[in-house]
């Protein structure tokens, strides 16, 4: 028995290993398409957070709606013609004023006054803003007085300006120019001082000339603020014009409205208000168009 067990040698004892058994290749799993996963909330439709695409002449919707409401209230008899004339009466009065030349003549006088004051105010405001924004000495000399002037309405200076300049055209244009200059200065100066200082340091490293620095760095950096001030200045010029044309004036839309007040002609007053509003709306649209063209490199919500 012992000899038989001795003669039986296992593979482990002899040091040889039995070859491993070959396994059959596993079956390849073919993916079975299951039900489609529900789309994520972000993949459905991108949610628009901006104001949307602009519509041509979309800004006319508000004025047209306002006129429609006015017309409906007048037709329904809810408006007293002695207090507020209806659109029909206003249109007929406007046609009458145009036919005898009164509206055109007064409108041209008002446009000349507002345009002269606007040009003087914009020029003075830009010049003062550049002086204060690019020089510490200019800032110390200019910014303080203009900040004080900003707290004093231009119309509050009307009695003093009448005392200095009289009641002629010079006083009227000066009042308009003062209001415009302060507004343009404030916005342009804020835009100038808001230019990134790293741009200035880069210009110094590149050793740009003063003129190149103004053209390449200062001008692009100050244009956004300048256009904001220009739009506000245009509005300010019309506001100042309404007041100065009622101070011993003999022509202008404000004078025509003041005369109509004496005779309770509400239709003539409304014609004057519509003329002021039309001029203001058109001038603002013109500034917007110029701003969009000059700042075409910007991508903003305004489109």
């Amino acid at each position: 028995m012992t000899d038989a067990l001795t003669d039986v040698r296992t593979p482990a004892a002899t040091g040889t290993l039995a070859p491993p058994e070959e396994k059959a290749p596993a079956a390849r799993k073919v993916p079975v398409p299951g039900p489609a996963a529900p789309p994520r909330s972000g993949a459905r439709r991108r949610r628009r957070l901006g104001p949307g695409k602009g519509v041509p002449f979309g800004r006319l919707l508000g004025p047209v709606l306002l006129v429609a409401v006015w017309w409906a209230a007048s037709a329904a008899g809810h408006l007293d013609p002695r207090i507020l004339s209806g659109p029909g009466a206003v249109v007929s009065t406007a046609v009458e004023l145009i036919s005898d030349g009164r509206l055109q003549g007064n409108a041209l006088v008002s446009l000349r006054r507002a345009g002269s004051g606007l040009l003087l105010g914009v020029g003075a405001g830009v010049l003062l803003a550049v002086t204060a924004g690019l020089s510490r000495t200019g800032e110390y000399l200019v910014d303080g007085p203009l900040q004080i002037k900003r707290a004093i309405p231009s119309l509050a200076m009307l009695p003093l300006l009448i005392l200095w300049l009289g009641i002629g055209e010079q006083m009227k244009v000066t009042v308009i120019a003062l209001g415009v200059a302060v507004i343009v200065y404030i916005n342009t100066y804020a835009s100038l001082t808001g230019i990134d200082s790293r741009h200035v340091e880069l210009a110094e490293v590149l050793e740009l000339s003063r003129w190149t620095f103004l053209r390449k760095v200062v001008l692009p950096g100050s244009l956004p603020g300048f256009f904001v001030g220009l739009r506000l200045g245009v509005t300010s010029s019309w506001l100042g014009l309404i007041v100065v044309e009622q101070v011993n004036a003999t022509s202008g839309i404000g004078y025509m409205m003041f005369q109509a007040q004496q005779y309770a002609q509400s239709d003539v007053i409304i014609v004057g208000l519509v003329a002021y509003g039309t001029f203001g709306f058109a001038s603002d649209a013109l500034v917007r168009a110029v701003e969009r063209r000059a700042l075409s490199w910007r991508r903003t919500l305004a489109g």
Side-chain angles (χ1 to χ4, degrees):
M1 179 109 183
T2 307
D3 297 334
L5 290 175
T6 308
D7 294 333
V8 178
R9 295 181 180 179
T10 60
T14 58
T16 59
L17 295 177
E21 297 181 359
E22 295 184 359
K23 295 182 179 180
R28 204 171 194 181
K29 294 183 179 180
V30 179
V32 179
R40 297 180 180 178
S41 59
R44 293 176 188 169
R45 189 178 178 183
R46 190 172 65 175
R47 186 178 179 184
R48 297 188 65 89
L49 300 178
K53 189 176 181 180
V55 179
F57 306 105
R59 295 183 184 277
L60 295 176
L61 178 61
V64 170
L65 181 61
L66 182 62
V67 172
V69 173
W70 176 27
W71 204 301
S74 176
H78 297 305
L79 298 179
D80 187 352
R82 296 171 299 178
I83 299 176
L84 182 61
S85 301
V90 172
V91 171
S92 61
T93 301
V95 171
E96 181 182 349
L97 292 172
I98 292 173
S99 61
D100 61 15
R102 289 173 56 194
L103 185 59
Q104 302 95 303
N106 289 317
L108 288 175
V109 173
S110 295
L111 285 172
R112 185 176 68 247
R113 289 169 179 160
S116 301
L118 181 64
L119 288 176
L120 291 175
V122 170
V126 170
L127 180 62
L128 292 172
V130 172
T131 302
L134 301 181
S135 170
R136 289 299 179 191
T137 303
E139 180 182 11
Y140 298 153
L141 295 176
V142 172
D143 188 60
L146 282 175
Q147 295 295 341
I148 295 173
K149 170 61 187 70
R150 185 178 65 160
I152 303 174
S154 298
L155 301 181
M157 299 183 63
L158 195 57
L160 190 59
L161 292 175
I162 292 176
L163 181 63
W164 289 349
L165 305 174
I167 55 177
E169 292 296 313
Q170 188 177 3
M171 179 273 299
K172 297 176 175 60
V173 173
T174 302
V175 171
I176 297 172
L178 282 175
V180 172
V182 174
I183 293 176
V184 172
Y185 166 81
I186 294 298
N187 289 275
T188 308
Y189 171 74
S191 187
L192 278 172
T193 54
I195 294 177
D196 196 334
S197 61
R198 290 173 294 181
H199 296 164
V200 181
E201 294 173 0
L202 179 60
E204 293 174 350
V205 170
L206 296 176
E207 298 182 353
L208 298 182
S209 65
R210 190 70 172 178
W211 169 248
T212 307
F213 170 70
L214 292 175
R215 186 165 52 91
K216 296 292 187 179
V217 179
V218 174
L219 182 61
S222 61
L223 277 181
F226 165 74
F227 277 110
V228 172
L230 182 59
R231 289 183 59 194
L232 295 175
V234 169
T235 303
S236 175
S237 67
W238 292 112
L239 294 176
L241 179 68
I242 295 174
V243 176
V244 299
E245 285 192 335
Q246 297 181 14
V247 179
N248 198 35
T250 57
S251 59
I253 296 178
Y255 167 76
M256 183 182 70
M257 295 171 60
F258 183 74
Q259 292 297 109
Q261 177 192 356
Q262 306 299 321
Y263 300 99
Q265 297 174 325
S266 63
D267 50 351
V268 178
I269 296 175
I270 295 175
V271 169
L273 292 176
V274 171
Y276 277 133
T278 302
F279 291 149
F281 188 86
S283 57
D284 184 73
L286 178 62
V287 174
R288 280 176 177 270
V290 175
E291 178 184 14
R292 195 176 301 112
R293 184 71 178 271
L295 303 179
S296 57
W297 47 270
R298 291 197 313 171
R299 295 180 61 88
T300 62
L301 292 178

